[in-house]
Amino acid sequence: MTRDAFENAITVVMALGGSTNAVLHLLAIAHAANVELTIDDFNTFQKKVPHLADLKPSGKYVFRDLYSVGGVQAVMKYLYENGYLHGDCMTVTGKTLAENLKDAPSLKEGQKVIMPLEHPKRKDGPLIILHGNLAPDGAVIKVAGLKARRHEGPAKVFDNEEDAIDAAMADEIVDGDVVVVRFVGPKGGPGMPEMLSLSGILVGKGQGETVALLTDGRFSGGSHGFVVGHIAPEAQDAGPIAYLHTGDTVVIDQDTREITMKVSDEEMAKRRKETKIPPLYSRGVLGKYAHLVSSSSEGATTDFWKKD
């Protein structure tokens, strides 16, 4: 596992429109392998790797369709032949990536699952790292198939997914809202659960583009719509999201790569004094995990010796 190997992995994820979880997992693997990789490295590749795969949930085809036209290897061969992958990177086969791809199938002629580099589904990658006063350490948005490039609206804040689901089912979430689910990050979950149920409900109600969903938790690869996850620092770690109030204006902008809340520094200082963060979960394995785990922006690793 080398820096080049991780760069290859990120490139393939961007081209295929992979899950937001790829950010979390690749950061964690790189940490375990002592390879220097940061959350902001993903934006470097997002800017230069186009999104090619017309796959669900934002596209037309499913993974079986990709397999039938050559599979992931064929996509990698196409990317390598066009200068997007490190061919001299050693792999687990004992051969370089270029050697592995030499005899791999090419994409079937006439296939429509993978769009050509000249006419990509999107000219840049679909996973964007956002920063701002709501997520100083970063957050991840997946913009595959997303028409809206900016969302500004009032926050509706919930401290767990269940309450947010109840509000959505009761039609209390309206177009323009920014639904916020917090205290579900690595420490707060504990374990950073997926918000797939809530995002699925919003999409099912036709609000996938008109309502933004923010969380310090994470999403399934099956989630789509205007969703932002991995907000860091998380609420349990006294991140700014812990002090967001219902009614505050939140702005998400994929072009500027910003996620901000229109709350003054003075008001934030006041809220920090007045708001009490609940204690960490403290029982069993989850309690140990909650006390050891790092930020999602670092891969949610549990190397306790890294702690201050």
Side-chain angles (χ1 to χ4, degrees), residues 2-64:
T2 63
R3 171 73 187 204
D4 283 354
F6 283 92
E7 291 187 356
N8 284 345
I10 296 171
T11 297
V12 174
V13 167
M14 291 292 179
L16 290 178
S19 169
T20 52
N21 285 304
V23 177
L24 190 71
H25 297 327
L26 287 172
L27 287 172
I29 296 168
H31 172 75
N34 289 318
V35 172
E36 186 175 343
L37 186 71
T38 71
I39 192 171
D40 290 317
D41 286 325
F42 286 82
N43 272 350
T44 299
F45 289 87
Q46 186 274 331
K47 294 174 185 177
K48 65 182 182 181
V49 180
H51 181 198
L52 303 179
D54 191 15
L55 293 170
K56 291 181 182 292
S58 61
K60 180 178 179 181
Y61 300 98
V62 296
F63 222 77
R64 180 64 178 81

Side-chain angles (χ1 to χ4, degrees), residues 50-52 115-124:
H51 181 198
L52 303 179
M115 303 179 77
L117 286 163
E118 299 78 22
H119 303 286
K121 185 176 177 67
R122 180 185 165 104
K123 65 180 181 180
D124 51 10

Side-chain angles (χ1 to χ4, degrees), residues 159-160 182-193 195 216-217 234 236 280-281 286 289-290 293:
D159 289 345
N160 57 71
R182 63 189 180 189
F183 292 104
V184 290
K187 294 177 184 289
M192 207 177 181
M195 301 292 110
D216 52 9
E234 63 175 289
Q236 188 68 58
L280 279 174
Y281 191 81
L286 284 179
Y289 174 87
V293 70

Side-chain angles (χ1 to χ4, degrees), residues 187-236:
K187 294 177 184 289
M192 207 177 181
E194 295 178 344
M195 301 292 110
L196 178 60
S197 296
L198 179 57
S199 63
I201 289 169
L202 293 175
V203 169
K205 290 170 69 68
Q207 295 178 309
E209 292 257 358
T210 60
V211 171
L213 172 57
L214 316 183
T215 182
D216 52 9
R218 61 192 180 99
F219 293 102
S220 160
S223 296
H224 65 294
F226 212 117
V227 296
V228 180
H230 308 198
I231 289 178
E234 63 175 289
Q236 188 68 58

Side-chain angles (χ1 to χ4, degrees), residues 135-304:
D137 293 344
V140 185
I141 182 172
K142 183 176 180 179
V143 296
L146 191 63
K147 297 182 179 68
R149 302 190 71 86
R150 186 180 187 275
H151 186 102
E152 178 174 345
K156 287 189 175 173
V157 182
F158 303 91
D159 289 345
N160 57 71
E161 186 186 22
E162 292 76 16
D163 288 348
I165 288 174
D166 289 343
M169 295 302 291
D171 296 327
E172 295 171 4
I173 307 300
V174 299
D175 290 353
D177 280 348
V178 178
V179 179
V180 179
V181 182
R182 63 189 180 189
F183 292 104
V184 290
K187 294 177 184 289
M192 207 177 181
E194 295 178 344
M195 301 292 110
L196 178 60
S197 296
L198 179 57
S199 63
I201 289 169
L202 293 175
V203 169
K205 290 170 69 68
Q207 295 178 309
E209 292 257 358
T210 60
V211 171
L213 172 57
L214 316 183
T215 182
D216 52 9
R218 61 192 180 99
F219 293 102
S220 160
S223 296
H224 65 294
F226 212 117
V227 296
V228 180
H230 308 198
I231 289 178
E234 63 175 289
Q236 188 68 58
D237 232 3
I241 190 175
Y243 309 106
L244 188 67
H245 287 183
T246 291
D248 290 342
T249 299
V250 174
V251 181
I252 309 106
D253 192 320
Q254 62 165 296
D255 292 320
T256 62
R257 293 177 168 80
E258 291 180 307
I259 180 167
T260 57
M261 54 182 177
K262 294 186 177 181
V263 180
S264 69
D265 291 342
E266 294 77 14
E267 175 62 21
M268 281 296 291
K270 178 184 176 184
R271 292 182 186 182
R272 286 183 182 276
K273 291 180 179 179
E274 296 175 347
T275 305
K276 185 176 181 181
I277 303 295
L280 279 174
Y281 191 81
S282 59
R283 294 179 63 85
V285 172
L286 284 179
K288 294 174 184 176
Y289 174 87
H291 281 77
L292 294 177
V293 70
S294 68
S295 167
S296 58
S297 65
E298 298 176 329
T301 61
T302 54
D303 291 340
F304 68 92

